[in-house]
Amino acid sequence: MSVPVRPILSALLRNRTGAVLVAMQIAIALAVLVNALYIVVQRAEKMGRPTGIDVDNVMVIASAGFTERFQTVPSIQEDLAYLRALPGVVAASVTGSIPLSDGGSNNPLLTNPEAHAGENYNALEIDEQGLAALGVHLVAGRNFTHEEIQPPLTKLDASRFVPEIIVSRALAERLFPHQSPLGKRVYDPLRQSATIVGVVDPVMGCFPSSDHPDWVYFLPRYPYAFGGSLVYLVRTQPGQRAALMRVVEQHLAKSNPDRVIDWVRPLNYFRDLTYLGDRSMEIYLITVTALMIAVTCLGIFALATFNVSTRTKQIGTRRAVGARRRDIVQYFLVENGLVTGAGVIVGCALALATGYYLSLQYALPRLNLYFLVGGVLLLWATGQLAAWQPARRAAAVPPSVATRTV
Amino acid sequence: MLAYYMRLALRSFGRNPGITALMVLAIALGIAVCVMTLTVYHAMSGNPIWWKNDRLYAVTMDNWDPKQSYRRNSTLPPPEMTYQDTQHLFRSDIPRRKVIMYATDGVVSGAGNVPAAHVSTRVTTADFFAMFEAPFLYGGGWGAGADDPAQPLIVLSRAENQKLFGGVNSVGRTLRWNDHEFRVAGVLDDWFPRPRFFDLNGGSFGEPEKAFIPFGWGAQLELLNDEETDCWKPEKLDTFRDFMASDCVWLQMWVELPDAASRERMQSFMDGYWAEQHKAGRFQRPRDNRLTNVSGWLRDNRVVDNDNRVLVGLAFAFLAVCLINTVGLLLAKFLNGAPVTGVRRALGASRRHIFFQHLVEVAVLSVLGAVLGLGLAALGLAAVHHLYASAHLYQRGGYQELMHFDAVGVLWAVILALAATLAAGLYPAWRVGRLPPAVYLKSQ
């Protein structure tokens, strides 16, 4: 069966304004759809990266001593003893900055004491329960022991380093490619050395938005607390976090008058905050793109319906001289297909140009061509679908219409 | 005549209610999305102290590592300064006003029965309030003499004064800040410059701090910067004194220079200091001493993020689709009514009359679309605002405050509605006016 493209095309060309407008809509919709989806997928990938942390069962407590009487170490020990004795608590530790919050400290490490300067990596101070409190697994070497935990830095020795560290697998690979990092020495900028005693599973540190959030190392030390906040990390049994948070907040708020508890929050809070911009962008892009396609489809639908109603007599005449219902449906679908096809072709160029512009201007990665192919198919199919019902209606026009209004 | 055209338009809508609704909806959605995006964009890209734009300058000097720049992808100097450099530059009397400052936080207690709590605090020199035009509700700031040696004076935000003292004039009352006694010198009125241009660390849209204390307390109580401290040099930083003498950057410095001449003098003063230090072994990077005005500062620090620009582009692409959609539908509708138009032409209506008749119809559509669009935008903004607020996500730089629907949104809606009318209506109205009436009369 041959499709009568030529007569449809020449009819279209005689009355082209409407067709051009539809094609323009399709072109813009395609360019937006493809680029928006591409950005959405990137954001989803970013947010979906594993954290390596048992985020759903960890709570974070901010505590700050503010009087002269406040003693950091005894206070930490008292609080940790209380937290660890609570039924439902798996582990509790103390640190200086909040994981996944995009805030914390980056310090250089060097593998060679002669090197000029090391690169910065995320450092997190923890005690012997720190890994367990985050739900991070050791893959090689050992954990810190209680005896190894160093006292906090003070106002007199703030440059002090630690003798041992634990590194993430990604950082180990970065520092000592293709070698076992265990027992290797690393140096701080003052060339004080530490030995790597353990390696943990991939774990995201404090900076999910950085280029390498998994370049993390752990220091066996109570946190630096010059009047700043201490952060307790407490991991609970699944399902018990919410209840324990209330208990803990009530107790700690009263247990020591020389400090304040700023808040007790689930760790998810900080991860969500970090990804807030990405999440909003995703929602916005999806909503607007969906609306755009909906508007385009409704437009195609309305225009096709309109065309059918204005062409009733013409359709009736065609039916009267022998066109089958199928031919009428085909006519409208082919017409729509041609218009949509033209729009899609222009749209491809527009999508590529937009993608190129975005990659230049905003340093986004270059558009992936699979998205373009997918977008083309999707828009073309939706276009046909929008024209389907009006085409059916056209086919229902009886041949007798042709004779009525002469 | 206009009233008659309006009646005709309404009758025309009645003939194709579905298509009319679709056109209004398309215009409304296009306008709503644009107004939402532009409202946020406008708030982000605003300059909250534009009237002083060319008098206030952020001071920066590139003291960074000779082997690499502060930022990997730009050669801008660090946005903050070292203690030693600010101390030297502060001695200059070229600027009319000058300020060095940083953010820290302290625990406030001892104000009646209010429980002790953390309060974000700015440690700053005296000129801060006058320079950035922070309005006082009660009292005032402190004199330059109170900076060093530091006097126990504190300025509170209006909200903090409300919390601590129930909103009364608390000037002269005392409270404890990190367990040291301070006396309230003044209470600020509501003051939310957005973006928070004077210190863009820790979220560009955050509120100013809730308390302000004289700069000298920083060294006296050894207060660290709560937001951003960056060091590059391998040097011993055991004590706060080491830290103050180091090449770490952690202080913001601004100067007020009333005219071009003073700006030039300040620049050469900085360059002179740079040369002296360069000879002594510091500042080994290419000379880059900057005085950056407010708008330049907001640009350099990328206050408007890329996502937002992409969204503005997206919104306009969406509006374009909606308008093209409307043009197509209008055209089809008008041409469909050509026989009637033919009769009107034959009875004496001129092309201009036909054109205006149809333009009135489009204008009515656009106004309906704009009103509906405005409503949708307000709803949308309220929904986003609510979502942010209920998720307690306000901590991160106050984004939800950008979601306010204001006069700017209304203005944009009006402009967009006008543009929509012109863009969508002109061609179909013109086209229908050009139709030869005879053809349509014949076919009846």
Side-chain angles (χ1 to χ4, degrees):
Chain A
M1 188 189 84
S2 77
V3 180
V5 175
R6 284 268 320 256
I8 298 177
L9 196 61
S10 54
L12 262 181
L13 289 179
R14 277 175 59 92
N15 207 343
R16 56 184 174 272
T17 318
V20 168
L21 291 173
V22 171
M24 272 164 70
Q25 283 183 63
I26 297 270
I28 299 177
L30 180 67
V32 168
L33 170 73
V34 170
N35 284 289
L37 271 191
Y38 191 48
I39 296 177
V40 166
V41 167
Q42 286 166 29
R43 300 300 165 101
E45 271 171 12
K46 180 182 169 196
M47 290 188 281
R49 292 171 305 176
T51 59
I53 296 173
D54 187 12
V55 178
D56 293 328
N57 295 310
V58 176
M59 72 172 99
V60 188
I61 305 163
S63 152
F66 65 96
T67 66
E68 297 292 337
R69 288 185 304 276
F70 182 77
Q71 303 247 309
T72 307
V73 176
S75 168
I76 289 175
Q77 282 166 346
E78 184 193 323
D79 290 337
L80 285 180
Y82 162 75
L83 291 167
R84 285 168 183 170
L86 280 174
V89 167
V90 177
S93 186
V94 62
T95 183
S97 41
I98 306 161
L100 310 180
S101 69
D102 266 350
S105 81
N106 283 318
N107 291 316
L109 278 187
L110 294 72
T111 51
N112 173 1
E114 309 298 322
H116 163 69
E119 217 174 320
N120 276 315
Y121 306 110
N122 180 207
L124 205 57
E125 297 166 307
I126 55 171
D127 72 355
E128 73 277 10
Q129 285 203 10
L131 298 180
L134 289 168
V136 174
H137 304 288
L138 266 176
V139 289
R142 62 173 180 83
N143 191 5
F144 300 132
T145 64
H146 179 67
E147 289 68 34
E148 280 170 348
I149 308 304
Q150 303 274 314
L153 298 175
T154 68
K155 291 183 178 182
L156 298 174
D157 66 348
S159 311
R160 175 157 54 83
F161 200 39
V162 291
E164 305 88 11
I165 63 169
I166 290 176
V167 298
S168 71
R169 196 145 58 169
L171 181 56
E173 192 52 36
R174 165 82 183 163
L175 295 172
F176 301 102
H178 314 300
Q179 302 170 46
S180 166
L182 292 180
K184 292 271 193 330
R185 273 175 186 285
V186 290
Y187 304 85
D188 79 350
L190 297 177
R191 276 62 179 175
Q192 305 176 85
S193 78
T195 307
I196 297 177
V197 298
V199 179
V200 292
D201 257 349
V203 59
M204 233 182 235
C206 294
F207 296 96
S209 301
S210 67
D211 292 340
H212 297 282
D214 51 355
W215 287 352
V216 182
Y217 64 104
F218 297 96
L219 309 172
R221 188 165 66 201
Y222 286 144
Y224 189 77
F226 288 2
S229 292
L230 296 173
V231 173
Y232 294 111
L233 297 169
V234 183
R235 181 157 153 248
T236 66
Q237 303 281 5
Q240 301 201 27
R241 184 176 65 182
L244 278 168
M245 277 170 60
R246 284 190 293 275
V247 174
V248 163
E249 182 157 18
Q250 271 175 17
H251 174 86
L252 291 182
K254 291 188 202 117
S255 70
N256 185 341
D258 294 322
R259 63 101 178 272
V260 290
I261 297 293
D262 288 316
W263 38 256
V264 180
R265 285 182 183 143
L267 185 54
N268 310 52
Y269 172 93
F270 297 97
R271 187 191 54 186
D272 293 349
L273 215 53
T274 299
Y275 289 141
L276 179 62
D278 298 304
R279 175 82 62 205
S280 314
M281 184 78 172
E282 236 187 25
I283 294 173
Y284 207 87
L285 285 176
I286 290 175
T287 312
V288 174
T289 310
L291 280 177
M292 188 182 283
I293 292 177
V295 166
T296 308
C297 283
L298 279 174
I300 292 175
F301 173 79
L303 221 48
T305 309
F306 219 76
N307 281 340
V308 170
S309 68
T310 52
R311 289 191 216 159
T312 312
K313 217 169 82 181
Q314 177 201 338
I315 297 164
T317 312
R318 284 199 61 199
R319 293 276 281 126
V321 298
R324 290 160 300 174
R325 278 164 188 258
R326 241 178 55 198
D327 297 326
I328 304 295
V329 171
Q330 198 184 41
Y331 179 91
F332 279 98
L333 289 186
V334 170
E335 188 186 66
N336 173 268
L338 287 174
V339 174
T340 317
V344 159
I345 290 170
V346 179
C348 281
L350 201 57
L352 288 174
T354 312
Y356 183 67
Y357 176 78
L358 289 178
S359 71
L360 273 191
Q361 201 73 19
Y362 305 129
L364 295 172
R366 198 72 78 73
L367 187 62
N368 182 332
L369 288 183
Y370 287 115
F371 279 78
L372 195 55
V373 176
V376 165
L377 292 177
L378 182 76
L379 265 188
W380 202 78
T382 359
Q384 289 279 289
L385 215 62
W388 174 251
Q389 204 270 345
R392 288 277 303 276
R393 218 157 41 163
V397 172
S400 57
V401 169
T403 60
R404 254 180 226 157
T405 55
V406 177
Chain B
M1 206 56 145
L2 193 65
Y4 175 58
Y5 287 160
M6 296 280 262
R7 268 209 311 283
L8 281 183
L10 291 180
R11 197 171 305 162
S12 158
F13 296 156
R15 267 200 301 278
N16 315 84
I19 285 189
T20 306
L22 181 60
M23 288 190 289
V24 171
L25 190 70
I27 295 177
L29 281 175
I31 288 179
V33 167
C34 277
V35 168
M36 275 181 75
T37 325
L38 287 173
T39 303
V40 177
Y41 184 82
H42 175 81
M44 275 194 167
S45 59
N47 180 342
I49 191 152
W50 50 270
W51 60 94
K52 272 187 149 179
N53 191 52
D54 286 318
R55 276 180 283 159
L56 297 184
Y57 294 91
V59 182
T60 51
M61 297 180 82
D62 197 349
N63 71 319
W64 214 245
D65 189 344
K67 301 217 165 114
Q68 57 189 9
S69 58
Y70 175 78
R71 288 194 181 104
R72 224 178 321 153
N73 46 12
S74 100
T75 55
L76 284 176
E80 297 185 297
M81 301 266 291
T82 65
Y83 187 83
Q84 46 177 329
D85 297 333
T86 54
Q87 287 303 302
H88 186 90
L89 297 183
F90 196 75
R91 269 177 235 132
S92 159
D93 52 15
I94 301 166
R96 174 183 292 170
R97 297 192 177 101
K98 52 200 173 178
V99 62
I100 37 183
M101 58 186 180
Y102 64 103
T104 189
D105 80 359
V107 172
V108 168
S109 57
N113 297 324
V114 181
H118 256 131
V119 172
S120 58
T121 304
R122 180 156 294 270
V123 184
T124 177
T125 54
D127 283 347
F128 178 91
F129 308 99
M131 191 160 157
F132 299 128
E133 304 197 355
F136 275 94
L137 187 63
Y138 305 120
W142 54 82
D147 279 332
D148 194 18
Q151 300 294 311
L153 296 171
I154 190 166
V155 168
L156 300 174
S157 74
R158 185 174 181 167
E160 194 58 27
N161 185 55
Q162 184 70 38
K163 192 183 122 194
L164 296 174
F165 299 109
V168 303
N169 183 349
S170 59
V171 172
R173 305 268 285 265
T174 59
L175 52 75
R176 298 189 78 76
W177 189 92
N178 268 7
D179 218 15
H180 296 271
E181 190 169 280
F182 277 77
R183 199 173 74 247
V184 178
V187 176
L188 290 182
D189 203 346
D190 285 331
W191 184 53
F192 305 112
R194 290 203 174 87
R196 199 180 70 164
F197 65 97
F198 58 82
D199 179 6
L200 295 166
N201 295 299
S204 306
F205 301 98
E207 293 180 355
E209 283 73 13
K210 295 182 178 130
F212 300 81
I213 58 174
F215 189 74
W217 287 106
Q220 195 162 328
L221 301 179
E222 309 196 341
L223 303 169
L224 291 176
N225 186 331
D226 189 43
E227 279 168 348
E228 181 90 25
T229 300
D230 290 308
C231 308
W232 61 272
K233 198 174 181 178
E235 53 191 334
K236 239 175 152 42
L237 299 174
D238 278 332
T239 63
F240 201 78
R241 194 167 289 276
D242 291 343
F243 183 57
M244 290 195 293
S246 73
D247 253 314
C248 293
V249 295
W250 51 294
L251 295 163
Q252 298 104 41
M253 178 166 192
W254 286 78
V255 289
E256 183 173 338
L257 301 166
D259 49 41
S262 60
R263 187 175 182 280
E264 259 161 47
R265 273 187 294 142
M266 186 68 199
Q267 182 72 49
S268 57
F269 175 69
M270 286 168 75
D271 291 348
Y273 170 66
W274 182 91
E276 199 179 283
Q277 291 283 306
H278 178 74
K279 211 176 279 172
R282 284 185 70 224
F283 293 128
Q284 292 304 306
R285 291 183 63 73
R287 188 177 76 182
D288 193 1
N289 307 320
R290 292 183 184 225
L291 292 167
T292 311
N293 67 10
V294 180
S295 54
W297 184 247
L298 297 175
R299 195 175 47 243
D300 285 352
N301 288 287
R302 295 166 186 272
V303 166
V304 178
D305 61 5
N306 285 342
D307 279 6
N308 207 265
R309 291 182 213 272
V310 171
L311 289 182
V312 170
L314 173 75
F316 277 99
F318 181 63
L319 183 64
V321 165
C322 291
L323 291 184
I324 295 171
N325 193 28
T326 307
V327 176
L329 293 175
L330 276 176
L331 197 61
K333 189 168 146 56
F334 287 176
L335 293 182
N336 194 38
V340 180
T341 310
V343 173
R344 289 175 49 77
R345 289 274 279 129
L347 290 178
S350 69
R351 281 182 181 173
R352 264 186 53 196
H353 282 122
I354 300 294
F355 177 74
F356 278 116
Q357 178 209 332
H358 287 90
L359 208 57
V360 166
E361 188 171 336
V362 186
V364 174
L365 275 181
S366 295
V367 167
L368 288 177
V371 171
L372 186 61
L374 213 57
L376 286 177
L379 274 181
L381 286 170
V384 178
H385 184 99
H386 179 74
L387 213 69
Y388 278 19
S390 68
H392 291 281
L393 294 176
Y394 47 81
Q395 300 278 336
R396 190 166 187 101
Y399 276 102
Q400 94 278 12
E401 295 306 332
L402 298 177
M403 302 293 168
H404 274 315
F405 193 57
D406 53 8
V408 179
V410 176
L411 190 68
W412 271 113
V414 171
I415 292 171
L416 290 173
L418 278 176
T421 315
L422 291 177
L426 276 184
Y427 178 69
W430 175 80
R431 178 83 185 273
V432 74
R434 307 285 301 176
L435 291 174
V439 177
Y440 292 95
L441 290 174
K442 231 182 275 169
S443 72
Q444 282 302 307

